[in-house]
Amino acid sequence: MQQEEYVSVTEFCNGHSISTTVISQLNEFGLVRVIQRSDSLYIPMEELPKAEKILRLHTDLNINLEGVEVITRLLERIERTEEELIRLKNKLSFYE
């Protein structure tokens, strides 16, 4: 494990003034991937923007975790749909 690829859950939670149980709940909901090494939990660096966005929805907008899960799934679906639309537009422009 390379140290720069992960952030400890404790360090992340201290920096965001939240309890580590919040990250555990996000992991249980399948919203944020958490990796356990030895006796510590870590968040992969690529998950940090997603985790921070979810925390803003949860804390700043006071949305419960079930609501955050629905919002996150819908946003991911919209993103995939937009990518598909771009791909199809590019394919169509090839035939014009």
Side-chain angles (χ1 to χ4, degrees), residues 74-90:
L74 288 172
L75 288 172
E76 288 171 354
R77 191 170 174 187
I78 289 169
E79 187 176 316
R80 284 192 312 271
T81 303
E82 288 174 343
E83 290 171 357
E84 174 84 7
L85 180 61
I86 290 169
R87 188 182 63 77
L88 291 172
K89 281 182 177 180
N90 289 339

Side-chain angles (χ1 to χ4, degrees), residues 33-50:
R33 192 165 45 102
V34 175
I35 296 170
Q36 182 167 357
R37 302 288 171 145
S38 302
D39 290 336
S40 300
L41 295 174
Y42 296 91
I43 302 172
M45 291 294 275
E46 65 267 9
E47 291 282 311
L48 291 181
K50 182 179 179 182

Side-chain angles (χ1 to χ4, degrees), residues 1-8 11 42 45:
M1 177 178 85
Q2 294 179 1
Q3 195 65 18
E4 63 272 5
E5 293 181 8
Y6 301 93
V7 172
S8 78
E11 186 179 312
Y42 296 91
M45 291 294 275

Side-chain angles (χ1 to χ4, degrees), residues 30-68:
L31 297 172
V32 175
R33 192 165 45 102
V34 175
I35 296 170
Q36 182 167 357
R37 302 288 171 145
S38 302
D39 290 336
S40 300
L41 295 174
Y42 296 91
I43 302 172
M45 291 294 275
E46 65 267 9
E47 291 282 311
L48 291 181
K50 182 179 179 182
E52 290 171 341
K53 181 166 73 170
I54 290 169
L55 281 178
R56 282 193 304 276
L57 289 170
H58 180 60
T59 57
D60 295 351
L61 299 177
N62 205 22
I63 298 173
N64 64 21
L65 292 178
E66 291 83 1
V68 169

Side-chain angles (χ1 to χ4, degrees), residues 13 18-26:
C13 291
I18 60 169
S19 169
T20 56
T21 57
V22 174
I23 297 298
S24 295
Q25 290 173 332
L26 294 178

